[in-house]
Amino acid sequence: MERTYIQDLRSAVDQTVQIKGWLQTLRDQKKLQFLILRDPTGLVQVTHWKPNDEALAEQISKLGTESALTITGKVVDNPVVKLGGLEIQLESLCVENTAEIPLPFDPFADSLPVLDFRLDWRYLDLRRPVNNLLFRVETTVENAMRTYWTQNNFIEIHSPKLTGSPSESGAELFSLDYFDTKAYLAQSPQFYKQMAMAAGFERICEIGPVFRADPSFTARHMTEFTGVDAEISWIDSHEDVMRSEEAMLHDVYQTVKEKHGDEIKSLFGTEIVVPELPFPRIPMREVIEILKGRGYTLPADKKGDIDPGGEREIAAYVKEKFNHDFVFVTDWPVSARPFYHMRKEDDPNLTKSFDLIANGLEITTGAQREHRPDILAKQALEKGLHLEPIQYYLDFFRYGCPPHGGYGMGLSRLMMVMLGMNNIREAVYIFRGPTRLMP
Ligand code: ATP
């Protein structure tokens, strides 16, 4: 018999069906047993009249909740039943996999254990519908990104994650034994994205893993995350990069709203607002003035960077002034940017770069890149880098590389802001941090 999904039971009234799922609750009464079964599409009540089959009744009595079951039975209309006004009268049951008693924790209890404990038992935590929705939305997000990119002639690449030299500085770098030498895990696809520009690919995108040996324990950092990257050629400035990113995000939000808006509202309590184009843009210099005006002083040790408190404050300003959830902070000082960001022609202390802040959280860094090898080498030296390890990268710009720029975004950070979650550990399938390598 073919499997019927719970959401389709209404059209199967009076028929015998087979459903597959997890035992969410069991109510064992004197004569009757009620099993609430869950599949990815919903919940249904299954009833068993004990005198019909005492042996089966006994088997059911011993079942642990969250056991994986296949059930056959007749669908009957019953307006009294809260779950969809129908129930299934049990005919046979196959226990595919019992859940041991007790569960490490009940994912459907009113109060849940602390996050760290839930991460130890992540597969149980992921059984909660809110988590199932999260990853269905993430799938839609990635599909919508790829749809935007393919409609706009981007080529998707998969750059290597094992590298022979650090892509930026030696900081935040994982190294590993590689036969009789050392290899590093890629901290970003930066150099390889740019190599694609030297290869004449003109527009590329990549969704792939990024590794950072960052020992911090914040609610927005992981040691391994999924990066969303794009790079485009023949640009005039970072403005072209921002335009490409905001158009992509606009499409992503629109698709998510159409497909999951109602579910997101009911499970996350978050309204998906499709951001209007263009997103507001504020140069960093002005941001500092605005923050000052609002009584917020940036910490001096940030070298011209914004701290998380500043990100939230500028987002609050943008919300009040433009009623927008996104803001591009542009034209960052050289001190806060890597050597490969192009500097402004009219102010060499500033770079042609931006960060995108969404609902008060940085989700993207982007820039026009310096594609003139002599200037690039000079900027690298100024930042204290040695040229020899990055010579292969500098070579990309020796034989006809067009002006270009791009951006890098954290997928889980986007999911956090989109769904209104406040900890990245909950927004990612499996969290990796300085003290978490398992499961
Ligand atoms: P932050 O200032 O928040 O540490 P960053 O400036 O180091 O971020 P970039 O190197 O510019 O970040 O990376 C681009 C994007 O990748 C960031 O905007 C963010 O969305 C994401 N990202 C960076 N580091 C992490 C991390 N450790 N965990 C999750 N996402 C990250």
Side-chain angles (χ1 to χ4, degrees):
M1 193 185 287
E2 214 173 289
R3 173 188 191 181
T4 303
Y5 280 98
I6 290 171
Q7 69 183 5
D8 301 326
L9 288 175
R10 175 52 52 198
S11 54
V13 170
D14 295 333
Q15 293 168 28
T16 295
V17 297
Q18 183 177 74
I19 56 169
K20 292 171 182 289
W22 291 264
L23 178 62
Q24 186 158 317
T25 5
L26 171 65
R27 271 191 299 135
D28 210 345
Q29 297 183 346
K30 202 146 185 268
K31 294 280 180 201
L32 263 178
Q33 289 170 317
F34 296 98
L35 298 84
I36 305 298
L37 209 80
R38 176 186 79 251
D39 79 6
T41 69
L43 296 170
V44 66
Q45 174 171 298
V46 179
T47 49
H48 180 232
W49 179 245
K50 285 165 134 180
N52 272 357
D53 186 337
E54 293 290 352
L56 179 58
E58 202 168 317
Q59 189 191 8
I60 290 172
S61 293
K62 293 197 186 116
L63 276 179
T65 53
E66 291 305 305
S67 294
L69 309 176
T70 297
I71 273 175
T72 51
K74 190 173 169 196
V75 186
V76 294
D77 190 47
N78 184 351
V80 179
V81 179
K82 282 202 202 100
L83 291 172
L86 52 76
E87 63 184 355
I88 293 179
Q89 289 172 346
L90 185 66
E91 287 170 12
S92 71
L93 172 146
C94 172
V95 181
E96 310 284 359
N97 186 253
T98 44
E100 291 176 28
I101 302 171
L103 293 166
F105 77 97
D106 177 0
F108 296 92
D110 288 338
S111 82
L112 293 168
V114 292
L115 177 59
D116 212 44
F117 184 81
R118 281 187 283 125
L119 295 186
D120 288 339
W121 301 96
R122 184 63 168 155
Y123 54 90
L124 289 179
D125 195 40
L126 289 172
R127 286 188 193 173
R128 295 188 293 127
V130 70
N131 279 333
N132 192 281
L133 175 60
L134 163 58
F135 293 99
R136 283 187 289 121
V137 174
E138 189 174 88
T139 304
T140 301
V141 164
E142 289 181 61
N143 269 321
M145 287 173 171
R146 290 197 168 95
T147 302
Y148 172 84
W149 286 325
T150 42
Q151 282 170 351
N152 287 278
N153 301 319
F154 281 70
I155 294 174
E156 183 164 358
I157 62 164
H158 298 286
S159 62
K161 304 308 161 200
L162 279 172
T163 64
S165 85
S167 62
E168 295 179 25
S169 67
E172 300 193 345
L173 202 62
F174 286 115
S175 62
L176 58 127
D177 294 335
Y178 192 78
F179 304 104
D180 49 7
T181 177
K182 273 234 165 318
Y184 305 94
L185 293 177
Q187 289 163 292
S188 87
Q190 185 60 38
F191 288 2
Y192 295 104
K193 286 198 294 178
Q194 292 189 253
M195 189 178 128
M197 301 298 99
F201 281 13
E202 299 213 354
R203 288 162 171 231
I204 62 100
C205 55
E206 173 168 12
I207 301 180
V210 176
F211 302 92
R212 304 256 169 112
D214 178 350
S216 63
F217 291 88
T218 75
R220 58 189 193 286
H221 287 99
M222 303 187 278
T223 49
E224 175 179 355
F225 65 92
T226 301
V228 175
D229 278 90
E231 201 73 20
I232 53 180
S233 280
W234 305 110
I235 60 170
D236 292 325
S237 76
H238 51 317
E239 175 57 33
D240 295 316
V241 183
M242 290 188 276
R243 229 176 284 141
S244 176
E245 184 181 16
E246 66 188 359
M248 183 271 285
L249 282 172
H250 175 270
D251 283 12
V252 167
Y253 270 72
Q254 194 147 45
T255 309
V256 167
K257 189 176 179 69
E258 280 162 17
K259 206 161 172 194
H260 308 285
D262 294 342
E263 271 180 298
I264 292 172
K265 181 90 215 253
S266 87
L267 290 186
F268 284 94
T270 304
E271 185 85 49
I272 298 293
V273 179
V274 180
E276 265 179 46
L277 293 175
F279 296 179
R281 289 140 165 75
I282 310 179
M284 187 59 187
R285 206 171 257 160
E286 251 174 70
V287 167
I288 292 168
E289 289 311 310
I290 293 166
L291 292 180
K292 254 192 218 147
R294 294 170 72 90
Y296 193 91
T297 320
L298 290 169
D301 63 338
K302 292 295 275 185
K303 291 191 274 179
D305 202 348
I306 314 189
D307 64 330
E311 288 170 2
R312 286 192 290 274
E313 193 60 40
I314 196 66
Y317 166 85
V318 169
K319 189 74 187 166
E320 284 162 27
K321 177 130 184 158
F322 305 106
N323 190 28
H324 211 288
D325 297 322
F326 291 78
V327 58
F328 283 117
V329 174
T330 67
D331 305 358
W332 290 64
V334 167
S335 60
R337 297 313 236 197
F339 74 96
Y340 51 80
H341 283 196
M342 187 180 271
R343 296 179 186 180
K344 293 193 80 166
E345 293 84 7
D346 57 353
D347 188 345
N349 294 316
L350 298 180
T351 56
K352 296 169 84 169
S353 70
F354 64 89
D355 268 15
L356 177 60
I357 295 171
N359 294 1
L361 179 72
E362 178 207 316
I363 63 166
T364 298
T365 294
Q368 174 162 10
R369 323 300 186 185
E370 181 52 69
H371 63 288
R372 295 159 296 186
D374 45 338
I375 301 175
L376 188 58
K378 193 166 133 274
Q379 292 183 180
L381 287 171
E382 266 176 41
K383 288 269 181 190
L385 270 74
H386 297 291
L387 296 187
E388 200 260 328
I390 56 165
Q391 191 53 52
Y392 76 100
Y393 166 69
L394 299 172
D395 286 347
F396 298 163
F397 310 102
R398 289 174 57 200
Y399 307 103
C401 184
H404 61 277
Y407 60 85
M409 172 165 63
L411 180 62
S412 300
R413 291 222 189 155
L414 176 64
M415 298 314 296
M416 275 173 85
V417 299
M418 179 179 277
L419 300 174
M421 309 177 78
N422 48 33
N423 195 326
I424 204 161
R425 293 164 180 77
E426 300 242 35
V428 67
Y429 177 54
I430 293 172
F431 172 69
R432 285 285 176 262
T435 57
R436 185 169 281 280
L437 274 171
M438 296 291 275

